Amino acid sequence: MSDPTNPLSRRGVLKFGALALITTPVLLRTAQAAELPQLSEDDPTAKALGYKHDTTLVDAAKFPNHKADQNCANCKLIQGEAGVVWRPCLLFPGKAVHKDGWCAGWIKMA
Ligand code: SF4
């Protein structure tokens, strides 16, 4: 019979392993997103695509197809965890975009 107070018991090792398997991907994703530098609106690609941290500030004359309810948080290209303010985007590898931002690459999230 195993001793439940023994941290090296087989059950204890299995519990720790299961907990590590569940929490590690979440912690890694959170850490990766937090470590990404924020995309600058002055980045050449960001400028070309009209990226703004705030979708309400998009130049309507340059981007007439932009709609006020479009933002990074509801774009198909956003990555990371919902609710996080700065998140990775497939269009800007290695940078984080603001959840309220927008660029001309916006695609409706399915
Ligand atoms: Fe935001 Fe989508 Fe543009 Fe990325 S592609 S910056 S998530 S609107």
Side-chain angles (χ1 to χ4, degrees), residues 35-41 53 86 94-97:
E35 290 169 10
L36 289 178
Q38 297 173 1
L39 176 65
S40 167
E41 292 179 354
H53 298 312
W86 291 94
K95 300 287 170 77
V97 299

Side-chain angles (χ1 to χ4, degrees), residues 39 49 51-52 70-79 87-92 97-99 101-107:
L39 176 65
L49 293 172
Y51 173 81
K52 294 289 179 190
Q70 298 173 348
N71 56 50
C72 293
N74 61 27
C75 174
K76 191 174 188 172
L77 302 182
I78 194 85
Q79 304 290 292
R87 295 166 59 186
C89 165
L90 291 176
L91 214 54
F92 298 99
V97 299
H98 196 282
K99 68 178 182 61
W102 183 90
C103 85
W106 185 88
I107 299 171

Side-chain angles (χ1 to χ4, degrees), residues 11-82:
R11 183 178 291 171
V13 169
L14 289 174
K15 278 184 181 176
F16 178 78
L19 184 63
L21 280 173
I22 292 167
T23 58
T24 298
V26 172
L27 293 174
L28 285 176
R29 276 199 305 272
T30 302
Q32 287 168 351
E35 290 169 10
L36 289 178
Q38 297 173 1
L39 176 65
S40 167
E41 292 179 354
D42 293 328
D43 174 285
T45 306
K47 266 188 162 173
L49 293 172
Y51 173 81
K52 294 289 179 190
H53 298 312
D54 180 346
T55 193
T56 65
L57 302 178
V58 170
D59 185 338
K62 277 188 182 172
F63 302 98
N65 292 333
H66 169 258
K67 305 275 188 297
D69 63 346
Q70 298 173 348
N71 56 50
C72 293
N74 61 27
C75 174
K76 191 174 188 172
L77 302 182
I78 194 85
Q79 304 290 292
E81 298 295 317

